[in-house]
Amino acid sequence: MTQLALRSIRKSFGAVDVIRGVDLDVAKGEFVVFVGPSGCGKSTMLRMIAGLEDVTSGTIGIAGRDVTTTAPAKREIAMVFQSYALFPHMTVGENIGFGLKLAGRPKEEIARLVMGVAQTLQIEPLLDRTPRELSGGQRQRVAIGRAIIRQPKIFLFDEPLSNLDAALRVQMRLEIARLHARLGATMIYVTHDQTEAMTLADRIVVFNKGRIEQVGAPMELYERPANMFVAGFIGAPAMNFLPAELRAGVQGHRLIIGPTELETSQTLTGEGAVIAGIRPEHITMTQISDAHLVARVELVERLGSQTYAYVEVSKPNLTLTLAVPGATKVHPGDHIGLRLSADNMHIFASDGARI
Ligand SMILES: Nc1ncnc2c1ncn2[C@@H]1O[C@H](COP(=O)(O)OP(=O)(O)OP(=O)(O)O)[C@@H](O)[C@H]1O
Ligand SMILES: [Mg+2]
């Protein structure tokens, strides 16, 4: 069942077109993550779904009802922001129950529901504290509690974890995943964090300049990006792009990259100048004698389980990123050979579309 239906949504602020025709269906219970560069319109899109911002044109449906002009309070959605915006003078319990109190619900019912939410989020011992007596992660849990208690049709999260330190982000990410599994709620989540997007999403929506570039399951976007934008955006470190020439061979196609010629078993069409995309983890280091390309190592970053090497190739002239096992012996200044796996390459036309 469709829980959210966006139809031809456009939004302009004066002469600036911020959202330029967005169509999207989100199923009931689905976890959808919005990603895209800063300023591409993710927050504006969420705010329009919430009703905090009018649409310039298009329609928004929630659970089968057209809510395009419905007031925010009547849309049955709850939004959690990056800044928790808790009431500082109220206790945790009062913060969580505030919406129900405004709605005039009986005291005993509010107390019971607040306790239920506190148990779900494991913050019962904190109910009598004020927000200033909480850590960042605990505050964010209270903000989520305030959203859950209203049993909304859709949860909207706008970078809810970006104020937290790295360890806490991982912990809260797991808690949000558990919460989603337990509540079976429909969630739309904006993040800049690749790992959050890949791990939390049923589907990722990649935005660029107010439009959707691609929608798909995380591994679909990783394995079959529809264009160079998505290819470069999903995956960290980012995909490498090499100028190449595509030639039809007797069986399958050949790719000419600088001095090297590779055969590929991929089903491709056409010939001529293309761009070959290859992820850092699909380039391997080898002896110079059996290399496809020769490179000089410029920088090495050791992350523990993985090592990233930034290398300079002279033919063709470009810089590539390699991701190799953590203990690999590689040092700045080394001359190394590279092998490229043609079957792991993504071939794009000059306009950026996948071939
Ligand atoms: N009230 C406003 N008036 C004018 N322009 C606005 C307004 N709100 C947002 N914009 C512009 O709309 C564009 C999209 O902004 P939005 O906040 O939706 O981006 P975003 O994708 O959430 O970016 P970020 O990742 O940095 O949060 C930006 O260029 C922004 O400057
Ligand atoms: Mg934003």
Side-chain angles (χ1 to χ4, degrees):
M1 197 181 111
T2 302
Q3 192 74 343
L4 174 70
L6 302 178
R7 294 285 174 269
S8 311
I9 304 288
R10 290 178 172 273
K11 176 68 181 179
S12 311
F13 291 108
V16 187
D17 298 332
V18 173
I19 299 291
R20 304 186 298 156
V22 164
D23 288 271
L24 182 70
D25 280 301
V26 176
K28 193 169 182 199
E30 205 177 7
F31 200 127
V32 167
V33 174
F34 288 180
V35 298
S38 189
C40 69
K42 305 176 298 291
S43 295
T44 305
M45 198 63 245
L46 272 199
R47 292 172 56 79
M48 289 193 290
I49 296 167
L52 301 172
E53 200 79 69
D54 290 335
V55 302
T56 303
S57 65
T59 62
I60 300 174
I62 293 177
R65 190 164 65 103
D66 186 330
V67 299
T68 313
T69 57
T70 305
K74 301 245 159 77
R75 291 192 185 193
E76 295 183 77
I77 49 91
M79 192 153 168
V80 179
F81 300 93
Q82 176 179 357
S83 61
Y84 327 118
L86 301 176
F87 298 112
H89 56 284
M90 289 185 197
T91 65
V92 165
E94 286 164 349
N95 265 287
I96 294 175
F98 185 68
L100 299 181
K101 191 175 167 196
L102 272 190
R105 305 271 277 272
K107 249 192 181 147
E108 305 73 51
E109 185 192 343
I110 297 177
R112 186 171 49 79
L113 291 171
V114 167
M115 187 49 79
V117 165
Q119 278 163 357
T120 301
L121 295 169
Q122 296 171 353
I123 50 173
E124 302 122 285
L126 308 179
L127 282 175
D128 295 324
R129 293 203 199 165
T130 57
R132 109 167 52 83
E133 299 165 314
L134 303 177
S135 73
Q138 290 167 336
R139 280 181 211 163
Q140 191 54 292
R141 244 168 283 178
V142 176
I144 292 171
R146 208 171 40 178
I148 297 177
I149 201 162
R150 298 168 51 199
Q151 297 185 299
K153 291 228 158 37
I154 303 175
F155 286 91
L156 304 174
F157 292 95
D158 197 351
E159 305 196 41
L161 308 186
S162 51
N163 281 349
L164 306 178
D165 68 45
L168 203 47
R169 284 181 81 118
V170 173
Q171 188 192 334
M172 285 300 293
R173 187 175 86 213
L174 288 170
E175 284 186 21
I176 288 177
R178 281 193 200 109
L179 193 66
H180 177 248
R182 183 160 348 132
L183 302 176
T186 311
M187 295 187 168
I188 300 181
Y189 190 104
V190 173
T191 183
H192 272 113
D193 185 317
Q194 287 267 340
T195 320
E196 274 177 30
M198 293 295 285
T199 55
L200 287 173
D202 293 317
R203 283 190 303 158
I204 297 178
V205 180
V206 183
F207 280 86
N208 183 26
K209 297 182 185 149
R211 287 203 180 95
I212 293 178
E213 293 276 353
Q214 193 175 0
V215 181
M219 286 310 282
E220 261 168 56
L221 299 196
Y222 179 82
E223 286 170 351
R224 273 195 78 77
N227 53 50
M228 276 176 74
F229 181 83
V230 175
F233 197 81
I234 298 287
M239 187 184 283
N240 297 292
F241 294 112
L242 301 88
E245 196 190 321
L246 187 63
R247 280 190 210 149
V250 188
Q251 308 166 319
H253 275 75
R254 286 174 301 149
L255 271 170
I256 291 90
I257 300 176
T260 209
E261 198 172 310
L262 303 169
E263 290 207 9
T264 168
S265 59
Q266 295 190 49
T267 322
L268 299 167
T269 52
E271 287 190 287
V274 295
I275 295 138
I278 186 161
R279 296 202 180 274
E281 55 272 35
H282 294 144
I283 304 179
T284 45
M285 283 171 51
T286 180
Q287 307 275 347
I288 289 181
S289 54
D290 59 18
H292 291 138
L293 299 173
V294 176
R296 186 182 158 278
V297 179
E298 193 201 352
L299 258 172
V300 174
E301 288 179 344
R302 298 207 179 266
L303 278 74
S305 66
Q306 267 197 320
T307 288
Y308 300 153
Y310 302 88
V311 307
E312 283 169 356
V313 178
S314 54
K315 279 185 268 177
N317 190 335
L318 37 88
T319 304
L320 299 177
T321 309
L322 275 62
V324 293
T328 305
K329 288 195 174 62
V330 56
H331 304 282
D334 287 356
H335 287 271
I336 59 170
L338 308 178
R339 280 192 80 80
L340 312 171
S341 155
D343 288 341
N344 281 318
M345 280 190 180
H346 305 261
I347 312 300
F348 303 101
S350 50
D351 67 356
R354 184 184 190 92
I355 294 182

